[in-house]
Structure formats: structure tokens, C-alpha cells
Amino acid sequence: MDIESLLEKIRSGDRIALGRAITLVESTLDSDQEMTRQLLKHLLHQKKALKVAVSGSPGVGKSTFIDQLGSHFTGAGFKVAVLAIDPSSLQSQGSILGDKTRMLKLGKDVNAFIRPSPTQGLLGGIGRATFEASLLCEEAGFDFIIIETVGVGQSEIMARHLSDIFILLMQPGAGDELQGIKKGIIENADLLLVNKWDGDQKLIAEKTKAAFDGVWPADKSNILLISAAEDLGIDTLSEELISIKEKIDLDLNARERAAYWFVYQIRNLLMKRLLQKEGYVLQELENRIEEGNLHYSEAIEQALKKICL
């Protein structure tokens, strides 16, 4: 693969080339990972995109919300990329939901790009290569990059390390979440949105907002009521995010993200190489544990002595 030619196509707005590049960075083959590092080294690293992560429990309406929000951005003249992280098939490691089919407006918008990607077994609500994919989307000239997390609960805080703004969508009547307001995903959110502010859930949504108003930190933005289905309140939110894009230091945020993902990725690579090199030691100890000939704590001690000392 010609790296320079691929990058030229990406910068010119070639969506097929961008998709090929993201497929490359998602590959786990050693040869593709080496090519990925060469590709990333040649990026211009011009930080002009606001990266927005969107999380929330399954069924809260993340895809519909992103479809509406992204359409407001494109309507204002901006280009939007969506990285929709899907659960992975245990057999193929591929996506099993396909959020692209639920974003009907953006799916037809020439100023939008939607890329469903599998988690590939990574916990935290994102994909293994979502950080690198976001860099490629930025290289392609997108103004907003929206990352839709899987939606698995309180542990999805890794999206915090991918984004400038971390949005959490809440269901009407989600009062039980107040028990966890000081921990997990809620304390990592920048914006809290109560969705489904319409129909017979409108009053419940307003009561939910009132409950959170009493505990939401004063230094954070107000909790907003929205209806993704009816496109209510999303115009106000899009204007706020456009304003934030012009005010914050995108380059500083990008450097902090790069430092975090350097440590994260190097740990993964070192573990992979360690297991490749010393896998037989671990397998032998694992077999002895299963046979009842070795206690697992003693196996840990032996593994450390054989591998690390």
C-alpha cells in the first residue's frame, strides 16, 4: 500500500480511501500494525476537529440523537464524521448491530461520514483502534468527530480519553443513577442530557432533570432536556458545541490524549509480545492449576520469577 498516495486521497475527501485506512488501523496483523505506524507518522496533525463522545444505556436513543445533532452541524456548514462502536461477534470479532442503518439523515448527507466499528473485545465502550480512526477523520478535514460508545453502563469512561466533550444521555425516570453520581461514567461526563422529552414521558423527563439538578456539579454545564425523536433542544446544544469548538485549546487536548493512548497502547503491545514469547511458560502453569497440582497464587509467583526476573 502506497502511504503517500493513500494520504493524498484522504485529504482530498475520498471516503473510500478513508475507509481503507480505518480498516488498516483496525487490523491486528503485525504487518498491518507496522504499516499503521508508518501511516500515522505522516499525518499533518492539524487539530481543527471537536471530538464529541456520546454514551448512554442501550435504548436511550444515542443513534437518533447523533443523527439529529450531526444534521444540525452539517446544516451550519460543517463536516461531520461518526465513529459508531458496535458490540463484537464472539466468533468473527465484527460488528453485530450496524448503527449506520439508524442514522437516516446523516447516511444521505454528503458532508457526513459514518463508520461502524467493532469493539474487538475491548472494554470501556470503544473500539481498539478508535483513537487512530479519529486521527484519520481529522486528517480528512472533518470539523466534528462524534464517537458513539457501545452503551454498556458505568464503565464506559475510556471515551473520556478520546474526546474534548463527553456527553451522557439519560432515560426519563433514571433516578436510580443518583446513587452513582459520584463515581463511574456520570462524574466523567461534561454534559448530561435527559432524552425523550416528549409525549407521555415529557413530565417524567422534567422530574428526572430536577432530580439531577440537585447533585450535578456546579462547575459543569446545565443539564439539558432534549427529544431526539422530535428534534427538541438539539439546536441549542449544537450552537453551544460550535461555540466550544471556537474557544477551547484543541491542540492541548490532542496532546493530552496522545500521551494517554501512548501509555495504553504500549502496555498492550508489551503484553502481546510477552505472551508470544513466554506463552509456553504460562500454558504449562495453567495446565498444572487445572490438574490440581498447583495453587494459582503460587503459579503467579513462579510466572513472575521465570518471565520477569
Side-chain angles (χ1 to χ4, degrees):
M1 183 182 295
D2 186 339
I3 296 297
E4 292 186 3
S5 175
L6 182 62
L7 280 173
E8 286 180 6
K9 291 179 180 179
I10 291 172
R11 291 166 185 154
S12 70
D14 188 326
R15 305 300 174 85
I16 295 177
L18 177 58
R20 287 179 59 204
I22 294 177
T23 298
L24 177 67
V25 303
E26 289 177 345
S27 171
T28 58
L29 296 176
D30 289 340
S31 58
D32 287 344
Q33 284 299 297
E34 175 60 31
M35 191 170 294
T36 290
R37 288 189 283 274
Q38 294 300 318
L39 175 65
L40 296 177
K41 282 197 300 186
H42 286 82
L43 299 184
L44 297 177
H45 300 293
Q46 296 177 338
K47 304 307 171 188
K48 296 181 180 180
L50 185 76
K51 298 182 180 180
V52 180
V54 179
S55 189
S57 60
V60 73
K62 293 189 299 295
S63 295
T64 304
F65 165 70
I66 291 171
D67 196 30
Q68 297 284 19
L69 179 63
S71 296
H72 278 275
F73 288 148
T74 59
F78 296 102
K79 295 173 62 180
V80 177
V82 178
L83 300 175
I85 314 304
D86 284 344
S88 290
S89 164
L90 294 178
Q91 283 74 35
S92 68
Q93 295 296 303
S95 298
I96 60 177
L97 289 182
D99 288 277
K100 187 173 182 178
T101 60
R102 298 197 294 272
M103 298 181 192
L104 300 179
K105 290 184 179 180
L106 290 181
K108 301 175 183 177
D109 197 320
V110 295
N111 289 315
F113 170 80
I114 304 173
R115 170 73 183 210
S117 295
T119 61
Q120 295 179 311
L122 181 67
L123 299 178
I126 62 170
R128 184 190 56 78
T130 305
F131 173 67
E132 289 82 358
S134 71
L135 296 180
L136 291 170
C137 289
E138 196 160 37
E139 192 77 6
F142 289 97
D143 303 295
F144 289 90
I145 299 170
I146 304 176
I147 301 156
E148 179 187 6
T149 69
V150 171
V152 293
Q154 285 278 47
S155 66
E156 286 196 0
I157 58 175
M158 285 189 69
R160 165 78 281 167
H161 303 290
L162 282 174
S163 57
D164 301 292
I165 299 293
F166 186 19
I167 294 176
L168 178 61
L169 259 62
M170 302 296 295
Q171 296 270 16
D176 290 343
E177 297 290 349
L178 288 171
Q179 300 301 320
I181 192 71
K182 295 298 182 183
K183 61 184 179 180
I185 193 171
I186 294 177
E187 69 176 1
N188 283 276
D190 297 304
L191 289 172
L192 191 62
L193 309 181
V194 181
N195 192 21
K196 303 184 180 179
W197 181 47
D198 53 59
D200 57 4
Q201 297 204 74
K202 188 170 185 179
L203 182 58
I204 301 174
E206 291 171 354
K207 289 181 178 179
T208 302
K209 177 184 182 300
F212 278 104
D213 279 334
V215 293
W216 188 245
D219 60 338
K220 294 195 175 185
S221 299
N222 291 331
I223 301 168
L224 301 179
L225 288 165
I226 67 163
S227 168
E230 302 292 337
D231 194 13
L232 299 175
I234 299 179
D235 54 347
T236 301
L237 175 63
S238 66
E239 291 170 4
E240 181 177 348
L241 293 175
I242 290 170
S243 176
I244 290 173
K245 181 180 184 299
E246 302 303 321
K247 294 177 181 177
I248 68 172
D249 190 338
L250 294 173
D251 188 62
L252 174 61
N253 287 359
R255 294 198 302 271
E256 291 176 350
R257 281 194 296 270
Y260 173 88
W261 286 103
F262 159 72
V263 174
Y264 179 84
Q265 296 288 23
I266 201 67
R267 284 175 176 169
N268 286 343
L269 288 170
L270 288 173
M271 179 60 69
K272 180 181 178 181
R273 293 185 182 184
L274 176 64
L275 292 176
Q276 288 175 339
K277 182 179 179 182
E278 306 291 353
Y280 72 95
V281 173
L282 301 181
Q283 186 63 58
E284 178 187 346
L285 295 172
E286 183 180 349
N287 290 340
R288 291 180 61 191
I289 294 172
E290 291 179 350
E291 293 166 358
N293 298 323
L294 186 65
H295 191 270
Y296 85 94
S297 61
E298 185 179 351
I300 291 174
E301 184 176 350
Q302 289 188 25
L304 291 174
K305 287 180 179 180
K306 291 182 179 181
I307 296 173
C308 301
L309 299 180

